[in-house]
Amino acid sequence: MAEIRAFHALRYDLEKAGRIEELTCPPYDIISEEQREEFLARNPRNVIRLELPKGEDPYGEAARTLNQWMEEGILKTDMDPGLYIYEQEFLTQVDKGETRRLRGLICRVKLEEFAAGVVLPHEETLSKAKEDRFRLMDATHCNFSQIYSLYQDPGHMTRQRLDSLTETCAPRYAFSDGLVTHRLWVVNDTVAIAAIQEDFAGRKLYIADGHHRYETALNYRRHLKEQGITCPGADFVMMMLADMADQGLVVFPTHRLVRGLDGFDCPAAMLRKSGDWFQVEPVQNREQAQQSLDKAYSQGQHAFACYDGHCWHCLILKDPAVMEELLPQASAAYRGLDVTILHSLILEKLLGIDKENMAAQRNLTYTRSTEEAVSSVDRGESCCCFLLNPTRVEEIGAVAACGEKMPQKSTYFYPKLITGLVMNSLTQS
């Protein structure tokens, strides 16, 4: 099963680099060019220069910057191998003031092919992102950000160990980015490390966020073997592991935008045809649509809202048995996903957007923002949008355990893990 290891993390020397809150950033794939410039203006040594390089030779530039910072002592390798406890404290709903904390473990995890059933994906990936991440890894031989994975621990044994370790010492880092408070503890105690390693010896890991980077790590290891190149740390990848039952886990939905679809000039026809499978209820506005979605979610119903620029409708599945008829080879867990129901019955059958089209994002794009989805339709950029409820964490685990993958962009874990607290040099054994 899962093999985890302590490692000699590469970390900023704050005396030379600056304040840690000026050196870190969110994941590269949610950062705009304007935000990238803002991070660099705050501190030119921000990790964004490594994680999201720009220019005529971006990957070579990242490698040169990494080597320069190591030579200058801006980045230093920890003397002792360690595990790193990472905590996020945040508000889930500002108006209610509900505070949550998610605590996990940053470590090295031995790479396993998906077929081995040890590290399990839960959603499809897009090839363009994998090519980008491969070229960066090939140039720098380093993980700058950690893959986010979940594990099952009914007795919460590992969480108790992490809690105990954090009670006896202050965090190495503690700062807020304005929305999330981040804390990091360094664990070098060999007895504690061995106990945590033993905890994971019988576990599987479920990738929550970072599928592209995990597949890239597999491809990179394969590439090195084919080229006969030795890289001591290439059999492992950096991950942050969280208990699947942690109350701090929050999943947001990712909404669908339909655009550029020939012949989509009569949304009423689509809604009329969907009545074969769905109870189609007109609602007054976005607020009522969200209330209908919330009610359906609480009652375990499969539903989504549709907006075409003029009218709002809530679609509630009448009989889940239709999915068994449509996808007899799929598991009950996969068939029962709201996103599967939307993709199979509406997008594919009624609108003719097949899986290849979805993967290429020709007529389908994605956003987490309800405002962005509605505005896109109002501006005429999209024909319509579909708002979804969030996928439940237990649904993610059930689909992955069946060896299946959800459609791409099925989940959005919040908050995202920050980049730059620790890095994993693959040149280190």
Side-chain angles (χ1 to χ4, degrees), residues 252-269:
F252 288 155
T254 301
H255 309 304
R256 271 53 180 161
L257 295 168
V258 176
R259 59 180 61 190
L261 196 63
D262 293 338
F264 189 87
D265 53 5
C266 185

Side-chain angles (χ1 to χ4, degrees), residues 5 40 50 81 96-97 104 163 187 189 208 210 221 299 329 339 357 375 395 399 409:
R5 286 190 185 178
L40 291 175
L50 304 175
K96 293 183 179 179
D163 291 346
V187 179
D189 183 271
R221 182 179 66 173
Q299 296 178 350
Q329 304 303 318
V339 67
N357 186 319
S375 295
E395 292 178 317
V399 171
K409 306 292 184 181

Side-chain angles (χ1 to χ4, degrees), residues 321-340:
V322 67
M323 294 303 297
E324 187 174 354
E325 298 173 7
L326 187 64
L327 301 173
Q329 304 303 318
S331 69
Y334 182 86
R335 293 195 300 262
L337 295 170
D338 288 353
V339 67
T340 301

Side-chain angles (χ1 to χ4, degrees), residues 42-60:
R42 196 177 306 163
N43 191 317
R45 299 186 179 94
N46 189 284
V47 71
I48 197 68
R49 285 185 62 187
L50 304 175
E51 180 75 330
L52 189 60
K54 297 289 183 176
E56 294 183 2
D57 178 25
Y59 309 107

Side-chain angles (χ1 to χ4, degrees), residues 89-145:
E89 182 178 333
F90 56 98
L91 295 176
T92 54
Q93 296 180 353
V94 176
D95 56 337
K96 293 183 179 179
E98 181 184 1
T99 300
R100 293 201 189 190
R101 291 185 181 181
L102 176 70
R103 183 172 288 175
L105 180 74
I106 300 176
C107 60
R108 271 184 171 179
V109 174
K110 186 175 182 182
L111 289 167
E112 298 281 359
E113 297 289 344
F114 290 141
V118 176
V119 178
L120 302 171
H122 82 264
E123 76 180 18
E124 299 287 355
T125 55
L126 303 172
S127 58
K128 184 178 180 180
K130 286 183 281 189
E131 178 184 354
D132 167 62
R133 292 299 93 182
F134 177 85
R135 295 182 67 181
L136 181 63
M137 186 178 289
D138 191 37
T140 62
H141 318 295
C142 193
N143 302 143
F144 300 117
S145 57

Side-chain angles (χ1 to χ4, degrees), residues 17 31 37 40 69 115 145 157 161 163 172 212 219 231 235 243-244 250 263 270 272-273 302 341 355 368 373 376 407:
I31 296 176
E37 293 299 328
L40 291 175
W69 287 358
S145 57
M157 182 180 299
R161 296 191 198 279
D163 291 346
R172 190 66 55 93
H212 299 98
N219 292 335
C231 191
D235 278 336
D243 189 332
M244 191 176 287
V250 176
M270 176 197 69
R272 186 169 56 253
K273 292 177 182 178
H302 302 290
I341 294 166
K355 290 181 173 60
R368 189 184 69 79
S376 178

Side-chain angles (χ1 to χ4, degrees), residues 128-408:
K128 184 178 180 180
K130 286 183 281 189
E131 178 184 354
D132 167 62
R133 292 299 93 182
F134 177 85
R135 295 182 67 181
L136 181 63
M137 186 178 289
D138 191 37
T140 62
H141 318 295
C142 193
N143 302 143
F144 300 117
S145 57
Q146 54 275 348
I147 294 165
Y148 188 172
S149 294
L150 308 176
Y151 61 89
Q152 294 179 327
D153 180 15
H156 307 298
M157 182 180 299
T158 301
R159 177 57 189 257
Q160 291 172 19
R161 296 191 198 279
L162 301 186
D163 291 346
S164 177
L165 289 166
T166 58
E167 287 173 359
T168 58
C169 60
R172 190 66 55 93
Y173 306 133
F175 65 96
S176 173
D177 61 15
L179 294 175
V180 181
T181 297
H182 305 271
R183 300 183 182 93
L184 186 86
W185 291 262
V186 181
V187 179
N188 300 122
D189 183 271
T190 56
V191 174
I193 291 172
I196 294 172
Q197 285 178 310
E198 183 61 27
D199 286 350
F200 283 90
R203 292 178 183 159
K204 297 181 179 182
L205 302 178
Y206 304 84
I207 298 176
D209 198 2
H211 291 80
H212 299 98
R213 283 168 286 155
Y214 190 84
E215 291 186 33
T216 295
L218 291 173
N219 292 335
Y220 179 66
R221 182 179 66 173
R222 198 175 300 120
H223 167 74
L224 292 177
K225 289 182 178 179
E226 291 172 353
Q227 300 298 316
I229 300 172
T230 300
C231 191
D235 278 336
F236 291 81
V237 71
M238 185 168 64
M239 283 192 180
M240 200 287 288
L241 309 178
D243 189 332
M244 191 176 287
D246 195 304
Q247 294 301 305
L249 282 174
V250 176
V251 183
F252 288 155
T254 301
H255 309 304
R256 271 53 180 161
L257 295 168
V258 176
R259 59 180 61 190
L261 196 63
D262 293 338
F264 189 87
D265 53 5
C266 185
M270 176 197 69
L271 292 168
R272 186 169 56 253
K273 292 177 182 178
S274 67
D276 292 342
W277 307 303
F278 297 92
Q279 179 180 334
V280 182
E281 301 177 349
V283 291
Q284 292 292 323
N285 48 42
R286 190 178 79 187
E287 289 71 25
Q288 286 192 11
Q290 188 59 57
Q291 290 172 7
S292 296
L293 285 178
D294 292 343
K295 180 180 178 181
Y297 191 75
S298 66
Q299 296 178 350
Q301 296 177 307
H302 302 290
F304 36 84
C306 177
Y307 177 60
D308 62 14
H310 302 285
C311 302
W312 281 94
H313 291 84
C314 188
L315 286 69
I316 303 173
L317 187 67
K318 294 177 181 177
D319 185 0
V322 67
M323 294 303 297
E324 187 174 354
E325 298 173 7
L326 187 64
L327 301 173
Q329 304 303 318
S331 69
Y334 182 86
R335 293 195 300 262
L337 295 170
D338 288 353
V339 67
T340 301
I341 294 166
L342 172 62
H343 279 215
S344 301
L345 293 176
I346 301 295
L347 301 184
E348 292 187 50
K349 288 186 72 68
L350 294 187
L351 299 182
I353 305 175
D354 60 23
K355 290 181 173 60
E356 181 182 351
N357 186 319
M358 293 180 196
Q361 299 188 54
R362 287 195 293 270
N363 297 118
L364 187 70
T365 57
Y366 312 88
T367 178
R368 189 184 69 79
S369 169
T370 302
E371 290 75 14
E372 182 180 334
V374 173
S375 295
S376 178
V377 176
D378 287 339
R379 292 193 301 266
E381 296 171 354
S382 298
C383 308
C384 68
C385 65
F386 293 94
L387 307 185
L388 289 85
N389 276 319
T391 304
R392 292 178 171 85
V393 175
E394 55 267 28
E395 292 178 317
I396 297 169
V399 171
C402 292
E404 297 168 308
K405 296 180 183 179
M406 298 179 186
Q408 61 268 21

